[in-house]
Amino acid sequence: MHYQNFINGRFTPSTGNGMVEVRNPSTGAAICTVPDSSTEDVEAAISAAEAAQKEWSRRPAVERGKLLRAIAAEIRKRAEPLARIITEEQGKVLGLARVEVAFTADYLDYMAEWARRIEGEILESDRPGETIFLFRQPIGVVGGILPWNFPFFLIARKAAPALVTGNTIVVKPSEETPHNAVKFCELLDETDAPPGVINMVHGRGATAGKALASSRRIGMVSFTGSVETGSAIMAAAAPNITKVNLELGGKAPAIVMADADIELAVRAVKASRVINSGQVCNCAERVYVQSKVAGEFTEKLSAAMRATRFGDPLADETVDYGPLINEAGYRKVDGLVRGAVAAGAAVATGGARGETAAEGYYYQPTVLANCRQDMEIVRREIFGPVVPIVTFHDLDEAVAFANDSDYGLTSSIYTRDLNVALKACQEIRFGETYINRENFEAMQGFHAGWRKSGIGGADGKHGLYEYTQTHVVYIQRQ
Ligand code: NAD
């Protein structure tokens, strides 16, 4: 099946000949093709978004919120087929795909609730008889560029705050996972979404993505993906001084103190590495364990990881995780593990390609002991079911290790000592810290990385206001 772009409320053929083939990472089977959109296609989508924006922004916010609720309702009606499509093209287990679909609908409803809460300010003037108003205005047309790991949710994470604040949007899904995005556009037909308010262009980063990020007609590019691409997008946006909102990679440290509930820490770290086959930006990517409990923790985590099962999630609903997204992802994970072993890491469990799968990019659940801070596997994002473990002596050393990273998205600490937890929170330099729980952000929080993990953030009030620009009006009474 060949799918088309969605421009001005219609599925529209591409003006170019480029094509992207989408495959099931569990089996290698072909799923569909989408256009590798040309600059002309992208510009046509931006024109549609531009033409729709003025009228859209004139509607009361509560009316705009109603569209988000209508989309949420349509998503819920099709929850199961949508989940299956996500699993087929992305490889996550069905249970997680169902959570993603439900969370997407909830997120749209949540952002709709902000409609009556978008607030400006009235500022005290220095001049007699003057009033100063600060309004929050839409930015105009937003370009949303998405990754493949939570492909359906990311549509809502960008479109919902953009639309409720009066912007229109052009979305470019990942070329790995466009099918669910096509289905999102199909369900818009069942709502009264005005043409041009949401547009979708497919294609690769170097073509469609670059054309979107470098267009002078978008007011903001909201991007989620890798640091390297984030940097390329900043460069593409730079000539036009286009605002960028970047949600980039992570290398979340998990600090396990000797007084921690070890079973809890094991469960949470395991969940972090198993969920979506370890391909989640906020999940624990390196574990620091206090020396006294390193043996016990490593043994228990290895046993827990060994007990997880992987395989084709559509063929067997009971597996814990599926394949990695593609060959490049598989090679990266395998290369990092081999490099770590060559540099002295000890394989506590796993360490190789999954033996059960004839096809698909499966990787064994892996725990590596004896890792050091200078190893590549402790410094680079792995994005696979692999846990490198480094030991430390005291909290100061653990915090120093944790902070010694280009990434600054999320972090976690396991301890029963409130003072230790507080000291860690005061000294750890990350956008998010989880204490005694698994890493997973809330929609009312603010998901924003420090250092190379991003600029700006998503979710909650602060994420909403990323999609606005201020307008200060000075009114002098005569
Ligand atoms: P990626 O950077 O390879 O691709 C993301 C998107 O950017 C795709 O749509 C791609 O086509 C596009 N793209 C690639 N090159 C481009 C260019 N030059 N110009 C414009 N667009 C371009 O990332 P990915 O592999 O899809 O996703 C995995 C990465 O995303 C990981 O690093 C992960 O940590 C990160 N991520 C971060 C968050 C967060 O909230 N911080 C959430 C999910 C994923």
Side-chain angles (χ1 to χ4, degrees), residues 381-414:
E381 193 180 48
I382 307 169
F383 246 45
V386 176
V387 189
I389 297 178
V390 179
T391 56
F392 66 86
H393 297 292
D394 57 20
L395 180 63
D396 285 342
E397 190 182 25
V399 169
F401 280 157
N403 288 343
D404 171 28
S405 174
D406 280 349
Y407 295 100
L409 191 58
T410 79
S411 52
S412 62
I413 178 155
Y414 297 86

Side-chain angles (χ1 to χ4, degrees), residues 142-143 145 157-158 220-225 230 233-234 242-248 446-448 454-459 462-463 465-467:
V142 172
I145 302 181
R157 201 182 219 178
K158 302 207 183 295
M220 173 163 91
V221 52
S222 177
F223 169 71
T224 302
I233 282 174
M234 280 182 88
T242 304
K243 179 178 176 179
V244 291
N245 173 284
L246 305 175
E247 304 290 319
L248 308 180
F446 187 48
H447 188 54
I455 294 178
D459 310 334
H462 301 289
Y465 288 155
E466 292 275 313
Y467 289 81

Side-chain angles (χ1 to χ4, degrees), residues 16 24 31 94 109 127 147 178 199 202 220 235 249 332 391 442 450 470:
N24 178 337
I31 297 174
L94 265 172
D109 279 344
R127 295 159 58 126
N199 308 274
H202 296 283
M220 173 163 91
K332 179 183 170 197
T391 56
W450 291 21
T470 55

Side-chain angles (χ1 to χ4, degrees), residues 128-142:
E130 182 184 65
T131 305
I132 308 176
F133 292 109
L134 183 149
F135 295 93
R136 289 195 185 272
Q137 305 278 16
I139 297 174
V141 178
V142 172

